[in-house]
Amino acid sequence: GDKLPGLDVVLTSDVEYIDAEKDKIFSIPFMIENVAADTIESIEISCNFGDSVEVKTIHTFLPYLESMEFAYENIILSDLGEKELVFTITKLNGKSDLTPENNSHAVRVNVIERIVQRKVLLEVFSTENCTNCPKGHEIIEASIDGRHDQIIEVGHHVGFYTDQWTVPDDTIYMNFYYAAIVTTFAPAGVIDRTLFTKEEGHHNPYQGGDSCVVFSVESADMWNMFNVELEKPAYAWIDLDVEFNETDSILTINTSGKSVTELGGEPRLTIYVTEDNLATDRQAGWNSERQGLYYQHNVNRYIVTNVWGDQVTLNEGFEKEYNVKIQPNWNVDNLNVVAFVHNYSTKPNVKERYTDFNVYNAEKVQVRAHEVAVDDVETS
């Protein structure tokens, strides 16, 4: 009867940690459940910012045992770094809640200068001498599953001999193999130059343990590895702009970037010029007479920066300009520029060094942006 508990709600939220952009509005979603007899018509909720407290009143109609979704909106934070926000329901219908201990929820907010999309760098080791590489590229394409706006691929034509598209400096990247094994193979991959565990999908039949960033394309669970990396925050942003001068055949590359959180180590910027649609009738594992020409895509044609990248002040921000002479055997319509920021390691131990080149973020642009309409396709 009249002695039933009247005012009691439970405040919950799935959000315990969030990245927020400095001086930009964001909100936190909550669920409020009425677990007592009285219908709730007004809820007073406060947000404790640490140095100040804000109080809002919600007008609603919430009967016994019903729930409502609620978003605490228009939150703006200006100080960079992490802070804890504590949200508390203080009044129900202007009165106290019977059990206030379940009326609060804390959210850790990491305030960063800029929220950007996380893009993953996939580096592939394959050549036209590699019998298993056509199958490997099919596996890669299936694992990317159309997410080319999130996963950026670059092909190094080393690992299983060399071919007509091998950039000599690409052989230096085979140090990633030597961090744990004494042989190279293809098709092989490296995702964000990061060490993955077997549980995350890493598999390399040529080495024991998890001490090598290089994995077997045919044996690894690349789908899950991509997902693991895409779930990470973008540790830096990178802008990329290219201009091509037809008269001088000069490609001008302008790039800038900055970390969104304090990063240690020695950050570097690496830039590649890659090319698509490189045709060959000599691809091992492919019957050109029966299947037609084989096309290589995302092939690294030129390393614009130092092989291991140019040093940049990522925490303070950087701006760089590069000029590249387009070679006669490059098709400008098929060229791309790939830029990424990453750590550089000088650790004396080889195994430790080549597992410490983690990529923070990457970007890719076409030299000549273009789209292909269905009517343009002449052959399958």
Side-chain angles (χ1 to χ4, degrees):
D2 294 340
K3 295 184 179 180
L4 285 172
L7 299 170
D8 192 6
V9 298
V10 178
L11 178 71
T12 57
S13 176
D14 292 332
V15 178
E16 295 184 354
Y17 179 91
I18 189 173
D19 288 322
E21 192 167 340
K22 177 184 177 182
D23 295 327
K24 292 293 181 67
I25 295 173
F26 68 98
S27 61
I28 306 289
F30 291 95
M31 183 69 71
I32 301 174
E33 182 184 6
N34 185 3
V35 294
D38 290 356
T39 296
I40 306 301
E41 296 181 351
S42 69
I43 301 171
E44 189 177 278
I45 184 169
S46 68
C47 177
N48 190 328
F49 294 92
D51 52 1
S52 63
V53 176
E54 179 184 74
V55 179
K56 293 184 178 181
T57 300
I58 310 165
H59 296 285
T60 184
F61 185 85
L62 188 62
Y64 171 55
L65 288 186
E66 289 194 11
S67 299
M68 62 173 284
E69 294 180 348
F70 160 73
Y72 196 102
E73 299 177 329
N74 297 320
I75 306 172
I76 301 176
L77 299 175
S78 299
D79 296 329
L80 296 176
E82 283 195 12
K83 68 183 311 178
E84 184 178 72
L85 306 185
V86 180
F87 299 87
T88 305
I89 291 177
T90 55
K91 295 290 183 181
L92 300 172
N93 296 345
K95 301 176 182 179
S96 299
D97 188 293
L98 291 170
T99 55
E101 58 268 19
N102 56 17
N103 285 14
S104 290
H105 182 78
V107 177
R108 286 191 306 117
V109 181
N110 182 31
V111 182
I112 55 182
E113 285 196 2
R114 179 173 170 181
I115 293 179
V116 291
Q117 181 185 12
R118 171 76 175 187
K119 296 190 178 181
V120 171
L121 178 71
L122 167 66
E123 294 174 272
V124 180
F125 296 89
S126 71
T127 67
E128 63 179 353
N129 299 304
C130 168
T131 304
N132 293 330
C133 284
K135 177 184 175 183
H137 285 290
E138 289 181 7
I139 294 172
I140 291 170
E141 193 64 23
S143 300
I144 292 175
D145 193 25
R147 296 174 291 179
H148 296 283
D149 61 330
Q150 296 176 281
I151 300 168
I152 298 172
E153 182 179 348
V154 174
H156 302 297
H157 278 234
V158 293
F160 191 83
Y161 302 101
T162 58
D163 62 24
Q164 58 183 312
W165 298 300
T166 299
V167 174
D169 283 343
D170 270 349
T171 58
I172 297 175
Y173 296 128
M174 290 193 291
N175 282 284
F176 289 123
Y177 288 92
Y178 304 142
I181 52 182
V182 294
T183 185
T184 60
F185 63 95
V190 174
I191 295 178
D192 275 346
R193 299 182 174 180
T194 297
L195 179 66
F196 287 85
T197 66
K198 290 182 179 179
E199 290 74 18
E200 293 169 330
H202 183 282
H203 185 74
N204 188 339
Y206 299 92
Q207 50 93 199
D210 294 326
S211 56
C212 184
V213 298
V214 180
F215 58 84
S216 167
V217 167
E218 298 171 283
S219 303
D221 183 358
M222 294 182 62
W223 171 266
N224 192 61
M225 295 166 76
F226 284 142
N227 290 338
V228 168
E229 204 65 8
L230 284 169
E231 287 176 0
K232 295 180 180 179
Y235 299 106
W237 56 264
I238 179 167
D239 287 339
L240 185 59
D241 182 70
V242 298
E243 292 183 7
F244 178 59
N245 186 313
E246 300 274 358
T247 303
D248 300 328
S249 292
I250 296 294
L251 182 66
T252 300
I253 302 169
N254 284 287
T255 182
S256 60
K258 193 176 187 297
S259 64
V260 297
T261 186
E262 193 74 15
L263 295 172
E266 186 177 322
R268 295 286 181 96
L269 166 72
T270 296
I271 300 178
Y272 298 137
V273 176
T274 68
E275 187 171 356
D276 297 324
N277 299 317
L278 294 172
T280 178
D281 59 1
R282 304 198 300 262
Q283 178 62 52
W286 183 266
N287 190 328
S288 297
E289 292 184 2
R290 180 171 58 87
Q291 298 173 277
L293 295 174
Y294 187 81
Y295 288 88
Q296 303 276 0
H297 301 286
N298 309 300
V299 178
N300 182 33
R301 300 291 261 160
Y302 182 68
I303 305 174
V304 179
T305 57
N306 181 280
V307 173
W308 291 115
D310 291 345
Q311 191 168 358
V312 291
T313 54
L314 198 55
N315 288 333
E316 294 79 17
F318 71 89
E319 293 183 2
K320 293 277 189 179
E321 179 177 300
Y322 298 90
N323 293 299
V324 177
K325 179 72 173 179
I326 300 299
Q327 299 303 304
N329 61 333
W330 298 354
N331 184 339
V332 177
D333 289 333
N334 294 329
L335 292 182
N336 311 284
V337 175
V338 174
F340 58 101
V341 285
H342 56 95
N343 187 46
Y344 175 74
S345 178
T346 57
K347 294 178 180 178
N349 182 287
V350 172
K351 289 186 177 181
E352 293 181 358
R353 184 188 315 158
Y354 293 107
T355 57
D356 193 27
F357 281 78
N358 304 63
V359 175
Y360 300 129
N361 213 347
E363 190 56 86
K364 174 182 177 178
V365 296
Q366 294 175 323
V367 171
R368 283 179 173 161
H370 58 274
E371 294 180 357
V372 178
V374 173
D375 293 340
D376 295 334
V377 177
E378 297 178 357
T379 59
S380 62

